[in-house]
Amino acid sequence: MAVDRDAAGREWHLRNGRLSHLLRVLENGWLGSLHLGAPLAPGRSYRHLGVDPFPGFADQVGTPVGLVLPVPGRGDFRMPALVVELADGSTVLDPRVVGHRIVAGKPELPGLPSTYTEDPAEAETLVVTLRDEPSGVEVDVRTTLFRDVAAIARSLEIRNAGERPVVVRTAMSASVDLPDDDWWLVTFSGTWARERHPAASPLVPGRRSVGSLRGATGHEHNPFVILRRPETDETHGEALALSLVYSGNFLAEAEVDPYGTTRARIGIHPDGFAWALAPGGTFTTPEAVIAWSGAGLGELSHVLHELYGRRLARGPWRDRPRPILLNNWEATYFAFDEAKLLEIAAASRDLGVELLVLDDGWFGKRDDDTSSLGDWFVDRAKLPNGIDGLARAVEALGLRFGLWIEPEMVNERSELYRAHPDWVIGVPGRERTTSRHQLMLDLSRSEVVDHLEGVLAELLDSAPISYVKWDFNRFMTEPYSVALPPGRQGEFAHRYALGLYDLYRRLTTRFPDVLFESCAGGGGRFDPGLLAFAPQAWTSDDTDAVERLRIQWGSSFGYPISSMGAHVSAVPNHQVGRVTPLATRGAVAFFGAFGYELDPTRLTDDERAEVRAQIAWYRERRELLQFGRFLRLRDPFAGDGNEAAWMSIAPAGDHAVVGWYRILARPVPQRDRLRLRGLDPDADYAISVWPSPDGARGSEPDPVVLGGDELMAVGLPIEPPAPFAPLPAGDAIARLFELRRR
């Protein structure tokens, strides 16, 4: 790993053997981008890859040039990365390189989550300073090269070193110029209960974008996009990912110009954004991570899984196997008392569950969703012994105890709202929009964050609470803070995000052994920003096994499997009404942070035996399923979408679990073989199936033995003729194959 600088100090080559990023000072003093992608040899000049002179200072205005910090008004007519309104009302800047420094490791970003290093030798950071001399606006472009992954991280620090105030109107975290337009854009979109479905289409002249103006990243689009070559698939071809470590309003966009070049940018959504900088003021953008692969989408995902799983997630739970939990929400909703919860806890303990989570309804006078949000004190009518008494009773049964909260919200029917109606978001004199009977607290205000820290810390100190599910069930409307002057309301949405991060940071620092899981009506804030505080997230409110195949498949492109909360729920499914076999529900949920979302006291004896066997099987393979390398094998969005398959494999390639899923039964099935990946071609593998055909839900006594070369080149036999017992009849069938190297 190195950041090489040429003798003249005008060119930098960031290289780690996995990718290269080439930057150069152009003739006019601007910072140019020559290459970002495949590794190139060190010790050479690549000046010829750029275009000079810059067209803004020549006759061919508009000819594309690769730029790191494009601005408007100087001859580059593509999307800008930085727009600053100066005191005279203009937005014309001339940002010229005035210095640079190379820093070992990776500096933190003030107030923002970001990737990190545990040893300075893991990364190097190049900081290039640009200055617009007439205004005094300065920008540090920070680019971190990681030693062990094909990825860089980028952010900007914008300073007003002039004498007059300015307003930042656009501040994208990263802008990437590519020399051609032969790319497909892949986005991850949907809505509540069907989040992060991948959608791909070729770039055409003009712009294509996804984003959010909801005050959060949202169910509809994820702050993560991929540019891939037309021929790129899971194992072959070039792909580039842009991911934003942020949880608020965002924009990800690609533009093709008339000359056939592509510019991609990602950052805070500029609509409604305006950040005032007085002389001496600074603004830091969220971090963008740019990953590259020359070996297909599977390798691209592996890069992000490694980086986000090991150097974005943090704290003791980053590497710990996640507990098998049972959440009472779909079991009881609001209708519970202490006796019912202890009945559920005892039944869960007998099944092998390790953690009982009490969801919504335990506080204030919360018998439905119309009241008590904000009142984080226990409802003694339901829990006469309090949270402490319940938690200790649950622990006495041999389980740990977890709790649901939604601290960013308030109901009008609450003591907190009656005491502080001015703490909610809204425009004075205008009606406020409610959603789920909720209003949002103004986390841009320090007194609100201080209050929430105080009441939540008191709650967590009061009882043995091992886990917190942090929910967020509505998006931002009437975005306005009475604590900000009228001319600075454009700062509000970002200040809210900073307040959210501040609250998370305070609580996770104070309670490092508590496992935090983020949630936003399911997957409405499933983003890298929260992964820095909560190492797992509730992937979606939709627990239907068939839909979860698609949601977890799409989520896996950018997020590690350990980050995905995945539960077995009751049938008919509460979201779609579908009935699927219990074995299939388990086989899907195994690939994630596993748990249950049902009432164990209502299971039949056969179902209890099956759940007990599921948990025992999963516990023995938990670390492989949560932290192994995840490989996508058969796409549920391809063809008629009737099948899906994936696998988790240990780093040494000696142990793997393959999941295969068929949604609808078909008459006279064709011969089918599933090609695996990542195995040792020179080794033999003993293969057993789950569920076992004898109903024991374990491994077969005499496993089939096949060679790694055959399993990868020819495939694992699924349909007959096959060396395994026939598949059961019916819809929504799953089979897991466990491979162990001999």
Side-chain angles (χ1 to χ4, degrees):
M1 175 191 67
V3 178
D4 298 333
R5 177 189 176 201
D6 73 332
R10 308 283 285 182
E11 190 174 320
W12 298 272
H13 184 176
L14 289 75
R15 57 181 180 84
N16 63 4
R18 296 171 173 83
L19 92 165
S20 285
H21 186 28
L22 292 156
L23 306 174
R24 167 169 98 77
V25 181
L26 302 177
E27 287 186 3
N28 70 321
W30 286 30
L31 184 60
S33 175
L34 305 181
H35 172 76
L36 175 56
L40 300 176
R44 300 175 182 172
S45 173
Y46 293 95
R47 179 189 180 97
H48 57 280
L49 296 178
V51 176
D52 255 333
F54 175 67
F57 296 86
D59 293 331
Q60 293 178 309
V61 174
T63 302
V65 174
L67 296 172
V68 174
L69 190 68
V71 295
R74 298 289 291 178
D76 186 311
F77 298 106
R78 297 166 291 174
M79 306 178 299
L82 178 67
V83 179
V84 178
E85 183 180 316
L86 304 178
D88 61 6
S90 71
T91 56
V92 176
L93 295 179
D94 183 10
R96 304 193 179 204
V97 175
V98 295
H100 84 280
R101 64 185 187 275
I102 298 172
V103 180
K106 184 176 185 296
E108 292 186 358
L109 301 184
L112 287 163
S114 62
T115 54
Y116 61 93
T117 59
E118 292 186 339
D119 184 325
E122 294 176 0
E124 280 190 300
T125 299
L126 170 66
V127 183
V128 180
T129 301
L130 300 93
R131 179 179 172 88
D132 176 66
E133 196 59 45
S135 69
V137 171
E138 295 180 347
V139 181
D140 280 350
V141 178
R142 300 173 175 173
T143 306
T144 296
L145 173 71
F146 299 97
R147 180 187 62 196
D148 298 324
V149 294
I152 62 170
R154 175 162 288 158
S155 65
L156 308 179
E157 182 182 279
I158 305 158
R159 294 186 298 276
N160 183 1
E163 298 179 352
R164 305 176 69 184
V166 302
V167 178
V168 180
R169 298 286 182 183
T170 299
M172 306 306 288
S173 297
S175 178
V176 177
D177 282 353
L178 303 169
D180 64 81
D181 62 352
D182 192 24
W183 299 94
W184 283 53
L185 180 67
V186 185
T187 60
F188 299 87
S189 303
T191 188
W192 175 82
R194 52 176 174 84
E195 298 91 340
R196 290 174 299 286
H197 286 201
S201 59
L203 293 183
V204 296
R207 298 186 185 184
R208 286 206 52 225
S209 66
V210 293
S212 173
L213 290 169
R214 298 168 180 265
T217 43
H219 302 86
E220 290 69 24
H221 303 290
N222 202 257
F224 165 62
V225 297
I226 294 173
L227 289 168
R228 67 164 176 84
R229 295 298 187 182
E231 69 279 4
T232 297
D233 59 18
E234 284 292 325
T235 59
H236 301 88
E238 184 179 18
L240 192 75
L242 284 79
S243 176
L244 190 65
V245 185
Y246 192 57
S247 308
N249 295 341
F250 78 93
L251 177 68
E253 196 164 18
E255 179 182 16
V256 172
D257 74 355
Y259 297 88
T261 69
T262 298
R263 172 171 290 168
R265 65 176 184 167
I266 193 167
I268 295 174
H269 205 303
D271 288 3
F273 172 79
W275 195 274
L277 284 183
T282 65
F283 178 79
T284 301
T285 69
E287 178 173 282
V289 169
I290 305 169
W292 178 85
S293 168
L297 297 171
E299 179 61 28
L300 187 72
S301 295
H302 180 60
V303 170
L304 291 167
H305 292 183
E306 286 294 299
L307 182 61
Y308 283 175
R310 303 300 181 194
R311 292 297 181 267
L312 179 60
R314 65 195 72 206
W317 282 105
R318 182 191 71 183
D319 303 322
R320 284 183 191 169
R322 310 293 163 71
I324 300 165
L325 66 84
L326 187 140
N327 184 297
N328 77 298
W329 178 241
E330 291 190 13
T332 66
Y333 293 101
F334 294 103
F336 62 82
D337 57 20
E338 183 176 285
K340 176 59 179 177
L341 294 174
L342 291 177
E343 182 186 17
I344 289 174
S348 299
R349 183 269 320 274
D350 292 344
L351 298 175
V353 169
E354 299 163 335
L355 169 70
L356 178 73
V357 178
L358 172 56
D359 211 281
D360 195 355
W362 58 267
F363 51 91
K365 298 188 181 301
R366 181 80 165 172
D367 296 321
D368 55 34
D369 62 6
T370 65
S371 74
S372 300
L373 279 175
D375 298 342
W376 301 111
F377 50 84
V378 69
D379 181 357
R380 295 278 175 174
K382 290 181 180 178
L383 305 176
N385 296 305
I387 291 295
D388 178 59
L390 174 63
R392 295 193 185 281
V394 169
E395 285 204 332
L397 290 170
L399 300 173
R400 285 178 283 177
F401 180 75
L403 201 60
W404 177 97
I405 59 172
E406 192 174 4
E408 300 162 72
M409 304 297 169
V410 66
N411 292 123
E412 290 180 284
R413 292 175 54 201
S414 68
E415 293 186 16
L416 180 63
Y417 181 79
R418 285 190 288 271
H420 297 284
D422 59 310
W423 280 8
V424 301
I425 295 168
V427 182
R430 291 187 180 273
E431 183 179 355
R432 286 187 292 256
T433 302
T434 58
S435 177
R436 203 173 181 250
H437 309 287
Q438 297 176 191
L439 298 170
M440 290 181 65
L441 292 171
D442 184 355
L443 266 63
S444 74
R445 299 172 62 173
S446 60
E447 65 267 35
V448 176
V449 175
D450 291 343
H451 167 79
L452 291 173
E453 180 195 14
V455 295
L456 294 175
E458 182 180 359
L459 173 65
L460 293 174
D461 273 329
S462 72
I465 298 170
S466 301
Y467 161 104
V468 169
K469 179 181 178 181
W470 183 319
D471 212 343
F472 174 89
N473 274 305
R474 65 153 294 172
F475 295 116
M476 188 181 292
T477 55
E478 295 83 42
Y480 190 95
S481 173
V482 297
L484 289 172
R488 297 183 63 182
Q489 291 298 324
E491 302 176 14
F492 169 65
H494 183 62
R495 288 189 180 276
Y496 182 96
L498 294 177
L500 170 66
Y501 294 144
D502 185 24
L503 182 58
Y504 253 113
R505 186 176 292 107
R506 296 187 199 186
L507 292 173
T508 55
T509 300
R510 188 164 174 176
F511 302 96
D513 290 320
V514 172
L515 172 58
F516 282 80
E517 178 176 281
S518 66
C519 177
R525 208 160 56 180
F526 193 101
D527 57 60
L530 290 189
L531 186 58
F533 304 101
Q536 65 188 54
W538 186 223
T539 317
S540 176
D541 274 350
D542 195 333
T543 54
D544 171 59
V546 172
E547 175 55 34
R548 271 303 187 104
L549 286 171
R550 299 183 176 96
I551 292 171
Q552 291 171 214
W553 177 278
S555 302
S556 75
F557 280 87
Y559 299 94
I561 302 307
S562 60
S563 71
M564 299 184 204
H567 294 177
V568 174
S569 61
V571 293
N573 176 262
H574 289 203
Q575 290 76 49
V576 300
R578 195 179 348 251
V579 175
T580 56
L582 182 55
T584 299
R585 285 173 268 155
V588 175
F590 282 161
F591 290 85
F594 180 61
Y596 290 84
E597 197 91 9
L598 47 74
D599 185 347
T601 69
R602 301 180 66 180
L603 298 175
T604 67
D605 289 344
D606 286 346
E607 288 171 334
R608 278 193 287 272
E610 188 168 353
V611 168
R612 193 176 294 112
Q614 281 184 357
I615 291 174
W617 190 91
Y618 180 80
R619 185 180 287 138
E620 291 179 6
R621 298 153 182 86
R622 173 170 19 198
E623 293 197 45
L624 170 66
L625 292 164
Q626 291 181 358
F627 299 112
R629 180 167 183 170
F630 185 76
L631 301 171
R632 295 178 294 270
L633 302 177
R634 190 165 287 177
D635 187 348
F637 295 94
D640 64 2
N642 199 48
E643 291 186 14
W646 52 43
M647 65 186 288
S648 284
I649 186 167
D654 59 339
H655 186 199
V657 173
V658 178
W660 174 86
Y661 312 90
R662 184 184 65 202
I663 297 170
L664 296 178
R666 299 280 169 77
V668 192
Q670 299 176 345
R671 185 175 185 178
D672 186 18
R673 291 180 178 272
L674 178 66
R675 291 186 180 182
L676 307 185
R677 301 206 305 273
L679 304 175
D680 181 350
D682 298 320
D684 287 338
Y685 287 86
I687 308 170
S688 56
V689 299
W690 184 96
S692 62
D694 62 4
R697 309 290 181 222
S699 299
E700 293 179 330
D702 297 312
V704 174
V705 177
L706 296 175
D709 53 353
E710 177 187 345
L711 290 165
M712 292 189 291
V714 180
L716 174 69
I718 303 291
E719 297 282 8
F724 308 106
L727 292 167
D731 295 335
I733 296 301
R735 175 163 281 179
L736 303 185
F737 300 86
E738 184 172 19
L739 287 69
R740 293 186 183 272
R741 185 166 56 194
R742 286 204 157 185

Coordinates of all heavy atoms in Angstrom, one line a residue, residues 409-442:
M409 N -39.4 10.0 18.5 CA -40.8 10.3 18.2 C -41.5 10.6 19.5 O -41.1 10.3 20.6 CB -41.5 9.1 17.6 CG -40.8 8.6 16.3 SD -40.8 9.8 15.0 CE -39.7 9.1 13.8
V410 N -42.7 11.3 19.3 CA -43.5 11.6 20.4 C -45.0 11.6 19.9 O -45.3 11.9 18.8 CB -43.2 13.0 21.0 CG1 -43.4 14.1 20.0 CG2 -43.9 13.3 22.3
N411 N -45.9 11.2 20.8 CA -47.3 11.3 20.5 C -47.8 12.6 21.2 O -47.3 13.0 22.3 CB -48.1 10.1 21.1 CG -47.9 8.8 20.4 OD1 -47.5 7.8 21.1 ND2 -48.1 8.8 19.1
E412 N -48.8 13.2 20.6 CA -49.4 14.4 21.3 C -50.0 14.0 22.6 O -50.1 14.8 23.5 CB -50.4 15.0 20.3 CG -49.8 15.7 19.1 CD -50.8 16.4 18.2 OE1 -51.4 15.6 17.4 OE2 -50.9 17.6 18.3
R413 N -50.5 12.7 22.7 CA -51.0 12.2 23.9 C -49.9 11.6 24.7 O -49.7 10.4 24.7 CB -52.1 11.2 23.7 CG -53.4 11.7 23.1 CD -54.4 10.6 22.8 NE -54.6 9.7 23.9 CZ -55.0 8.5 23.9 NH1 -55.3 7.9 22.7 NH2 -55.2 7.8 25.0
S414 N -49.1 12.5 25.3 CA -47.9 12.0 26.1 C -47.5 13.1 27.0 O -47.8 14.3 26.8 CB -46.7 11.7 25.2 OG -46.2 12.9 24.6
E415 N -46.9 12.7 28.1 CA -46.4 13.7 29.1 C -45.3 14.6 28.5 O -45.2 15.8 28.8 CB -46.0 13.0 30.4 CG -47.1 12.3 31.1 CD -46.7 11.8 32.5 OE1 -45.6 12.2 32.9 OE2 -47.4 11.0 33.1
L416 N -44.5 14.0 27.7 CA -43.4 14.8 27.1 C -43.9 15.9 26.2 O -43.4 17.0 26.3 CB -42.4 13.8 26.4 CG -41.2 14.5 25.7 CD1 -40.3 15.2 26.8 CD2 -40.4 13.6 24.9
Y417 N -44.9 15.5 25.4 CA -45.4 16.6 24.5 C -46.1 17.7 25.3 O -45.9 18.9 25.0 CB -46.4 15.9 23.5 CG -46.9 17.0 22.5 CD1 -46.2 17.4 21.4 CD2 -48.2 17.5 22.7 CE1 -46.6 18.4 20.6 CE2 -48.7 18.5 21.8 CZ -47.9 18.9 20.8 OH -48.4 19.8 19.9
R418 N -46.8 17.3 26.3 CA -47.5 18.3 27.1 C -46.5 19.2 27.8 O -46.8 20.4 27.9 CB -48.4 17.7 28.1 CG -49.7 17.1 27.5 CD -50.7 16.7 28.6 NE -50.3 15.5 29.3 CZ -50.6 14.2 28.9 NH1 -51.3 14.0 27.8 NH2 -50.2 13.2 29.6
A419 N -45.4 18.7 28.2 CA -44.3 19.5 28.8 C -43.5 20.3 27.8 O -43.1 21.5 28.2 CB -43.4 18.6 29.7
H420 N -43.3 19.8 26.6 CA -42.4 20.5 25.7 C -43.0 20.4 24.3 O -42.4 19.8 23.4 CB -41.0 19.8 25.7 CG -40.3 19.9 27.0 ND1 -39.7 21.1 27.4 CD2 -40.1 19.0 28.0 CE1 -39.1 20.9 28.6 NE2 -39.4 19.6 29.0
P421 N -44.1 21.0 24.0 CA -44.6 21.0 22.6 C -43.7 21.7 21.6 O -43.8 21.4 20.4 CB -46.0 21.7 22.8 CG -45.8 22.6 24.0 CD -44.9 21.8 24.9
D422 N -42.8 22.5 22.1 CA -41.9 23.2 21.2 C -40.7 22.4 20.8 O -39.9 22.8 19.9 CB -41.3 24.5 21.9 CG -40.6 24.1 23.2 OD1 -41.2 23.4 24.0 OD2 -39.5 24.6 23.4
W423 N -40.6 21.1 21.3 CA -39.5 20.3 21.0 C -39.8 19.5 19.7 O -38.9 18.8 19.2 CB -39.2 19.3 22.1 CG -38.4 19.9 23.2 CD1 -38.1 21.2 23.4 CD2 -37.9 19.2 24.3 NE1 -37.3 21.3 24.5 CE2 -37.2 20.1 25.1 CE3 -37.9 17.8 24.7 CZ2 -36.5 19.8 26.3 CZ3 -37.3 17.5 25.9 CH2 -36.6 18.4 26.7
V424 N -40.9 19.6 19.1 CA -41.2 18.8 17.9 C -40.9 19.6 16.7 O -40.9 20.8 16.7 CB -42.7 18.3 17.9 CG1 -43.0 17.5 19.1 CG2 -43.7 19.5 17.8
I425 N -40.7 18.9 15.6 CA -40.4 19.5 14.3 C -41.7 20.1 13.7 O -42.8 19.4 13.8 CB -39.8 18.5 13.3 CG1 -38.5 18.0 13.8 CG2 -39.7 19.0 11.9 CD1 -37.9 16.8 13.1
G426 N -41.6 21.2 13.1 CA -42.8 21.8 12.5 C -42.6 23.3 12.3 O -41.8 24.0 13.0
V427 N -43.4 23.9 11.4 CA -43.3 25.3 11.0 C -44.4 26.0 11.9 O -45.6 25.7 11.8 CB -43.6 25.5 9.5 CG1 -43.5 27.0 9.2 CG2 -42.7 24.7 8.7
P428 N -44.0 27.0 12.7 CA -44.9 27.7 13.5 C -46.0 28.3 12.7 O -45.8 28.9 11.6 CB -44.1 28.8 14.2 CG -42.7 28.2 14.2 CD -42.6 27.4 12.9
G429 N -47.3 28.2 13.1 CA -48.4 28.7 12.4 C -49.0 27.8 11.4 O -50.0 28.2 10.7
R430 N -48.3 26.7 11.1 CA -48.8 25.7 10.1 C -49.2 24.4 10.8 O -48.5 24.0 11.8 CB -47.8 25.5 9.0 CG -47.5 26.6 8.1 CD -46.6 26.2 7.0 NE -46.4 27.4 6.1 CZ -47.2 27.7 5.1 NH1 -48.2 27.0 4.8 NH2 -46.9 28.7 4.3
E431 N -50.2 23.7 10.2 CA -50.5 22.4 10.8 C -49.4 21.4 10.5 O -48.8 21.4 9.5 CB -51.8 21.9 10.0 CG -52.3 20.6 10.6 CD -53.6 20.2 9.9 OE1 -54.1 21.0 9.0 OE2 -54.1 19.1 10.1
R432 N -49.2 20.6 11.5 CA -48.2 19.5 11.4 C -48.8 18.2 10.9 O -49.9 17.9 11.4 CB -47.4 19.3 12.7 CG -46.5 20.4 13.1 CD -45.7 20.1 14.3 NE -46.6 20.0 15.5 CZ -46.6 21.0 16.4 NH1 -45.8 22.0 16.3 NH2 -47.4 20.9 17.5
T433 N -48.1 17.6 10.0 CA -48.6 16.3 9.6 C -48.2 15.2 10.6 O -47.0 15.1 11.0 CB -47.9 15.9 8.2 OG1 -48.2 17.0 7.3 CG2 -48.4 14.6 7.7
T434 N -49.2 14.4 10.9 CA -48.9 13.2 11.8 C -48.8 12.0 10.9 O -49.5 11.9 9.9 CB -49.9 13.0 12.9 OG1 -51.2 12.9 12.3 CG2 -49.9 14.2 13.8
S435 N -48.0 11.0 11.3 CA -48.0 9.7 10.7 C -47.9 8.7 11.8 O -47.0 8.8 12.7 CB -46.7 9.7 9.8 OG -46.6 8.4 9.2
R436 N -48.7 7.7 11.7 CA -48.8 6.7 12.8 C -49.1 7.4 14.1 O -48.6 7.0 15.2 CB -47.6 5.8 12.9 CG -47.8 4.4 13.6 CD -46.6 3.5 13.5 NE -46.8 2.3 14.1 CZ -46.2 1.9 15.2 NH1 -45.4 2.7 15.9 NH2 -46.5 0.7 15.7
H437 N -49.8 8.5 14.1 CA -50.1 9.4 15.2 C -48.9 9.9 15.9 O -48.9 10.3 17.1 CB -50.9 8.5 16.3 CG -52.1 7.8 15.7 ND1 -53.2 8.4 15.3 CD2 -52.3 6.5 15.4 CE1 -54.1 7.6 14.8 NE2 -53.5 6.4 14.9
Q438 N -47.8 10.1 15.1 CA -46.5 10.5 15.7 C -46.1 11.8 15.1 O -46.3 12.2 14.0 CB -45.4 9.5 15.4 CG -45.7 8.1 16.0 CD -44.6 7.1 15.6 OE1 -44.8 5.9 15.8 NE2 -43.6 7.5 15.0
L439 N -45.3 12.6 16.0 CA -44.6 13.7 15.6 C -43.1 13.4 15.9 O -42.8 12.6 16.7 CB -45.0 15.0 16.3 CG -46.5 15.4 16.1 CD1 -46.8 16.5 17.1 CD2 -46.7 15.9 14.6
M440 N -42.2 14.1 15.2 CA -40.8 13.9 15.4 C -40.2 14.9 16.4 O -40.5 16.1 16.2 CB -40.0 13.9 14.1 CG -40.3 12.8 13.2 SD -39.4 12.9 11.6 CE -37.7 12.7 12.2
L441 N -39.4 14.5 17.3 CA -38.6 15.4 18.1 C -37.5 16.0 17.3 O -36.9 15.4 16.4 CB -38.1 14.7 19.3 CG -39.1 14.2 20.3 CD1 -38.4 13.3 21.4 CD2 -39.8 15.3 21.0
D442 N -37.1 17.2 17.7 CA -36.1 18.0 17.0 C -34.7 17.6 17.5 O -34.2 18.3 18.5 CB -36.4 19.5 17.1 CG -35.4 20.3 16.3 OD1 -34.4 19.8 15.8 OD2 -35.6 21.6 16.3

